[in-house]
């Protein structure tokens, strides 16, 4: 179901509302001359436009309509089987010097990369329609909000951007006619979906992105990882704010006291699930609400970090989503949802591994082949996704549109670690917290192409998303801390620790409320903890474990620190810092020494 389809010709009144800013028009003209499309479609984000594009996408087999009774207004898209996840090895930060991109990014000299991409884009849209998508990232009245334009030759991208961003007129208005206004230039073309010609390139100094050869997710929805994180982090450092790979949630106690928490977990490590958590029965009266599930833009106000979610929808992992694990996500994707790479049942419904109930006796798998429960292949791709508007979320936070953002009481780092990392602990202070973020590691997942399950260091869950030198990024975190008179407390969590027989020790999902409650208790200075070499650790009696069906010895194991494992961890931190080739700030090198010293003192 490739999206490489011939041009479409819209009726009058659709696709013809040009923006007025001359710099935008000049840029579009330049891209038109290069790519030579049959025609240009100017998106305005209206319902009429959306309906027209869906109709065209159905006719051109870019989308399949799902059963209107089972999943109203919802569609399935299948991407090219060679194109199912982010491609980190082909993602580039093209700053004038290699130093600016730093040791964790692929780098190319900008002029060289522009030339290479322009050669590939020459005539690439011949016979096709070029769409121009205006969008904003952030609530319409926020000072943090950014304007972007994405040019694409994919209808799937246009329809997805309509869900994931505030798209159309709102952006044209926000930009206005000022020729010097800041806005992001994004160019995307499917080319021929040849993996050998797939590149996701960022030019931070030009506020520009060019993506070619892919039609999938974070590679092509340029608002998301490309603008909101890679270019975003670059601008944030220059402008004194933060762009982070974090969910934002609100948590209200039965007495009505409310805190907001931001959490950085790597891709496919539980952000969406945590952001929509439903507390277990024992926590009657507690309520968790979602501000964002993937990205947080944060600024300092009155000495505190305040966060907005720049997005307008969720691009979430489908497999494993069920009424048992995440009822709020299930309710969010019951209608008005664009599915990618899930299975299609014979009655026009969608299915995936981990959905409630028995598997269908027959389905069409994500590749478009017949599938039965006996098939060896998975019915849905492990990185199959839903795109759904955030207004579908039954627990959407009341302040999600608040321009100044919500005040953050705690920041949580967490990865997918089978061993070593306890369920939860608290940093001694901001800089120690920055160290926890800088050294965090996680087992790789299907969200990016490549091996799955390998532990790799992923600082602040930003390894694939930091748009500049990681050493400067660490320095930026430290500098922000100095400007905060009321900094959030910083924690580390791990829902994924396993017992020796390979089973998760912790039930996770709704029960993560127990950990969240301890975090809130610490913010309110009522929670108990013991000092340990790695930070403040709760004992079993500090965490509310009422009505939890987990053996006490497992609880002791997940909350505990294994000194042998931590010696290996300390070595891994050292190796990681060394691998960065001298860019790590002194403050963090000292943090490591102090951590090693605290362990040495205990074993003395
Ligand atoms: P991205 O959208 O890639 O950034 O992912 P994410 O961080 O939002 O992860 P998500 O919440 O979609 O979860 C990814 C996978 O982890 C899913 O298969 C979930 O079912 C699983 N998962 C989430 N939370 C938990 C948990 O607490 N315990 C366990 N065992 N699995 C979890
Ligand atoms: C991630 O990989 O962190 C995602 C999915 O959120 S994608 O938008 O494809 O990057
Ligand atoms: Mn993500």
């Amino acid at each position: 179901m490739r999206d490489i389809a011939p041009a479409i010709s819209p009726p009058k009144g659709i696709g013809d509302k040009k923006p007025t800013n001359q710099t935008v028009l000049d840029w579009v003209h330049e891209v038109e001359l290069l790519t030579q499309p049959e025609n240009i479609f100017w998106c305005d984000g209206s319902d009429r436009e959306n309906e027209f594009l869906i109709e065209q996408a159905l006719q051109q087999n870019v989308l399949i309509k799902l059963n209107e009774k089972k999943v109203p207004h919802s569609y399935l898209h299948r991407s090219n089987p060679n194109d199912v996840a982010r491609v980190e090895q082909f993602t580039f930060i093209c700053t004038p010097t290699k130093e600016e991109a730093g040791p964790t990014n692929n780098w190319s000299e900008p002029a060289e990369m522009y030339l290479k991409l322009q050669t590939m884009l020459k005539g690439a849209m011949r016979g096709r329609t070029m769409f121009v998508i205006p969008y904003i990232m952030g609530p319409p009245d926020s000072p943090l909000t950014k304007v972007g334009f994405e040019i694409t030759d994919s209808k799937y991208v246009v329809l997805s951007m309509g869900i994931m961003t505030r798209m159309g007129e709102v952006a044209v208005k926000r930009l206005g006619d000022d020729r010097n206004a800041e806005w992001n230039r994004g160019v995307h073309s499917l080319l021929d979906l040849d993996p050998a010609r797939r590149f996701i390139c960022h030019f931070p100094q030009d506020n520009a992105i060019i993506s070619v050869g892919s039609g999938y997710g974070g590679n092509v929805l340029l608002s998301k990882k490309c603008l909101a994180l890679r270019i975003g982090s670059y601008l944030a450092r220059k402008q004194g704010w933060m762009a982070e790979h974090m969910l934002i949630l609100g948590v209200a106690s039965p007495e009505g006291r409310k805190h907001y928490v931001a959490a950085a977990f790597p891709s496919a490590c539980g952000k969406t699930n945590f952001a929509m958590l439903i507390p277990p029965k024992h926590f009657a009266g507690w309520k968790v609400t979602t501000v964002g599930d993937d990205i947080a833009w944060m600024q300092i106000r009155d000495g505190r970090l305040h966060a907005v979610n720049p997005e307008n929808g969720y691009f979430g992992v489908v497999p494993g989503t069920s009424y048992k694990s995440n009822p709020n996500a299930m309710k969010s994707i019951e209608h008005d949802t664009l599915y990618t790479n899930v299975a299609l049942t014979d009655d026009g419904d969608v299915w995936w591994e981990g959905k409630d109930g028995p598997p269908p006796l027959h389905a069409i798998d994500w590749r478009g082949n017949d599938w039965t429960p006996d098939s060896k292949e998975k019915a849905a791709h492990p990185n199959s996704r839903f795109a759904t508007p955030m207004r579908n979320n039954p627990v959407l936070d009341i302040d999600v549109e608040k321009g100044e953002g919500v005040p953050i009481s705690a920041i949580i780092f967490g990865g997918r670690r089978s061993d070593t990392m306890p369920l939860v602990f608290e940093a001694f202070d901001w800089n120690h917290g920055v160290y926890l973020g800088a050294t965090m590691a996680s087992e790789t997942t299907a969200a990016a192409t490549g091996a799955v399950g390998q532990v790799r260091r992923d600082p602040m869950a930003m390894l694939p998303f930091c748009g500049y030198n990681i050493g400067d990024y660490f320095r930026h975190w430290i500098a922000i801390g100095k400007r905060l008179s009321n900094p959030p407390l910083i924690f580390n969590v791990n829902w994924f620790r396993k017992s020796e027989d390979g089973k998760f020790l912790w039930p996770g999902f709704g029960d993560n409320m127990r950990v969240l409650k301890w975090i809130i208790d610490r913010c309110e200075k009522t929670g108990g903890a013991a000092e340990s070499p790695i930070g403040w650790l709760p004992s079993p009696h500090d965490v509310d474990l009422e009505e939890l069906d987990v053996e006490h010895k497992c609880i002791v194991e997940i909350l505990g620190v294994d000194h042998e494992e931590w010696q290996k961890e300390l070595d891994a931190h050292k190796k990681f810092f060394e691998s960065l080739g001298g860019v790590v700030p002194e403050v963090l090198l000292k943090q490591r020494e102090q951590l090693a010293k605290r362990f040495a003192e205990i074993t003395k």
Side-chain angles (χ1 to χ4, degrees), residues 98-105 233 237 242 244 430-431 434-435 437-439 458-460 462-463 465-480 482 576-589:
K98 191 171 188 324
E99 244 99 71
E100 285 162 272
T104 56
N105 282 310
S233 61
R237 173 169 169 253
M242 301 174 95
E244 299 297 332
W430 178 269
N431 282 353
V434 175
Y435 179 81
T439 55
D458 187 349
M460 284 84 172
M462 284 288 278
L463 180 74
F465 308 121
C466 182
Y468 61 100
N469 190 308
I470 198 81
D472 291 330
Y473 172 76
F474 294 155
R475 273 180 203 90
H476 183 52
W477 266 83
I478 293 162
I480 289 280
K482 290 207 181 102
F576 176 56
F577 280 175
E578 281 166 5
S579 78
L580 297 180
V583 304
V584 179
E586 197 55 36
V587 175
L588 296 186
L589 298 175

Side-chain angles (χ1 to χ4, degrees), residues 17 19 42-46 49 132-136 147-149 161-162 165-175:
K17 281 180 217 66
W42 304 90
C43 301
D44 66 5
S46 64
E49 169 183 285
V132 182
I133 310 169
Y135 65 94
I136 57 170
V147 175
F149 279 79
M161 290 290 284
T165 72
R166 296 163 177 91
M167 170 183 149
E169 282 203 28
V170 58
V172 172
K173 277 212 189 98
R174 168 112 186 176
L175 181 64

Side-chain angles (χ1 to χ4, degrees), residues 313-358:
Y314 309 129
F315 187 64
V317 176
V318 176
T321 308
S322 68
Y323 281 98
K324 191 161 169 280
S325 65
N326 191 347
N328 287 325
M330 289 302 284
K331 284 182 199 143
S332 304
I333 61 178
E334 272 170 358
H335 57 96
D336 298 283
T337 295
L338 177 45
Y339 288 92
T340 305
N341 293 344
V342 297
L344 178 68
T345 65
D346 294 348
D347 56 358
D349 200 353
V350 276
W351 191 80
W352 52 83
E353 280 73 16
K355 198 181 184 185
D356 311 82

